[in-house]
Structures are given as structure tokens and as C-alpha cells.
Amino acid sequence: GQSLEQPSEVTAVEGAIVQINCTYQTSGFYGLSWYQQHDGGAPTFLSYNALDGLEETGRFSSFLSRSDSYGYLLLQELQMKDSASYFCAVEGTTDSWGKLQFGAGTQVVVTP
Amino acid sequence: EAQVTQNPRYLITVTGKKLTVTCSQNMNHEYMSWYRQDPGLGLRQIYYSMNVEVTDKGDVPEGYKVSRKEKRNFPLILESPSPNQTSLYFCASSGSGGGTDTQYFGPGTRLTVL
């Protein structure tokens, strides 16, 4: 099976950089995704890492290291609108393509 | 406008009364999925569908049924709802596998079972 662990909450000031770690226990998976969810809203897709390394999308970057069973989402130049919950998710192995498991989420609080 | 729609958005019902939550997408996506979200537990996958007539269990399928008779629709059926199914439900779709492609979520259905 798979289980993913994320910190429950991170607080930072506007303009700062925040790294949200996601550690997992799995025998193999296709890739690691990240989603953002504002209070009362639906999750929105942020990024996907199929291969080890860094993927950059504007102010957000995501990293995966399969050998370390670890990934992270990096939020740069934090803005107030970045206050939200962030979830990592892994997609299943060859016998469960399409099966996703999510972490419990990290609440990011941005202060002025 | 590309979107995933769910109905109803809010529902209060009683134990044992069968209900269906509809989900429809207008993006011609092959992949669709249902999730429930409970405080402190994140999103948990209930069922997913890779294409028409192809469905499979997620992590928490007990007490739920789904069908995929046509590409755009993926209803979630609770044949005998119980209070532990009180939750926020999201439907989602993507062009291919759930993680490898951008997954679009519906607005959510808040279900209360008394």
C-alpha cells in the first residue's frame, strides 16, 4: 500500500519561500502530483513529477526523489492568495493505473 | 466553458434512503473519479473510471456504486446511506490517467446523512 505524510500547517510572511515536504511509503508509482485547495473550494491541479528532479511552473516548483521516497512543493514570493491547503498525491502502479492516494494536506497560512 | 458539474451541491437525507449524485464533464475526458473529503484525512478515492464501461475501486468503495454508461457522466450511487457517509464529495476528470494529466474537479457536493 501507500501512505503519504505532509506537515499539517506552515506559516510564513508575504514574500517568503515555503517548502512543503511529502514523504511516502510505496513499492512503486507513476508520479507525484500537487493540488491547491482554498477554503470552500475545489482542488486545483498544480504540478506533476513523473521523473526525479525539479519541475518549475512560475512561482511554484515541485521536486521528486524516488530513491529518497520524498518530494516537495516550493512556493516562492509568497502572496496572500497562496493561503490554502496543499495536497500531494501519488498515482498507482501497473496494476492500478488511475488509482490515486492523497496526503492529508498542508495548510499554508500567509501573514502580512 | 470547460467544466465538471455536480448535482446536487447540498443534500440532507436520512439513513437508508437511496440517493444519486450526478457528475458530468464537457471536455471529452476518458478518466473520471470520485473522492470524499473529511477533516484531517484529505481526499480519499472512492471509485474511478478509465473509460466507458470501465470502473475500478479506489481506497474507500464500501457503500458506494458507480456506473459509466457514457463518457460524459459518472454518477455516484449510495443505495443505503449511513451517517458515516456524511462528507464532502468531489468528482473529477482528466484526459488520461488521474495523476499524469491535469485533473479538473467539480465544485463538490456536501452530503449529510441523519
Side-chain angles (χ1 to χ4, degrees):
Chain A
Q2 303 166 334
S3 65
L4 296 92
E5 300 210 357
Q6 314 176 224
S8 59
E9 184 171 318
V10 173
T11 300
V13 297
E14 267 187 300
I17 298 174
V18 158
Q19 179 173 315
I20 303 169
N21 296 329
C22 176
T23 58
Y24 54 85
Q25 299 172 0
T26 180
S27 57
F29 60 93
Y30 284 111
L32 183 73
S33 305
W34 288 92
Y35 290 81
Q36 178 192 61
Q37 185 180 28
H38 287 99
D39 276 350
T44 56
F45 175 86
L46 289 177
S47 69
Y48 175 76
N49 291 72
L51 303 174
D52 282 7
L54 191 68
E55 293 281 343
E56 296 180 83
T57 310
R59 294 186 298 113
F60 295 174
S61 303
S62 58
F63 174 82
L64 174 63
S65 169
R66 289 178 186 267
S67 59
D68 294 323
S69 296
Y70 158 76
Y72 67 72
L73 180 70
L74 194 70
L75 286 65
Q76 302 179 74
E77 300 171 23
L78 272 180
Q79 301 176 8
M80 296 299 292
K81 67 178 181 180
D82 297 331
S83 290
S85 291
Y86 294 82
F87 298 90
C88 59
V90 293
E91 185 174 8
T93 56
T94 51
D95 62 346
S96 62
W97 173 262
K99 188 171 183 178
L100 266 75
Q101 289 195 336
F102 285 78
T106 298
Q107 177 83 33
V108 171
V109 178
V110 182
T111 60
Chain B
E1 180 192 353
Q3 61 182 353
V4 178
T5 57
Q6 296 178 227
N7 283 291
R9 294 289 313 278
Y10 302 90
L11 178 61
I12 301 175
T13 189
V14 295
T15 299
K17 185 176 181 182
K18 181 179 178 179
L19 67 93
T20 299
V21 184
T22 64
C23 174
S24 183
Q25 49 94 3
N26 63 0
M27 295 169 278
N28 201 35
H29 283 165
E30 292 185 348
Y31 179 93
M32 297 185 75
S33 183
W34 275 103
Y35 304 89
R36 62 177 289 172
Q37 186 171 32
D38 303 289
L41 295 178
L43 291 149
R44 292 182 292 167
Q45 192 176 43
I46 303 170
Y47 271 94
Y48 63 96
S49 170
M50 300 298 290
N51 213 325
V52 176
E53 302 291 2
V54 180
T55 62
D56 214 337
K57 296 178 181 178
D59 276 341
V60 289
E62 295 77 20
Y64 303 94
K65 282 177 59 176
V66 292
S67 68
R68 187 93 182 271
K69 292 185 169 56
E70 48 191 342
K71 205 171 195 179
R72 63 182 295 127
N73 296 323
F74 190 44
L76 179 70
I77 303 154
L78 286 71
E79 299 227 322
S80 184
S82 62
N84 64 12
Q85 293 178 297
T86 292
S87 187
L88 178 60
Y89 291 87
F90 287 103
C91 178
S93 74
S94 69
S96 58
T100 59
D101 196 0
T102 301
Q103 195 166 185
Y104 296 87
F105 282 78
T109 295
R110 190 166 293 281
L111 172 66
T112 302
V113 183
L114 302 174

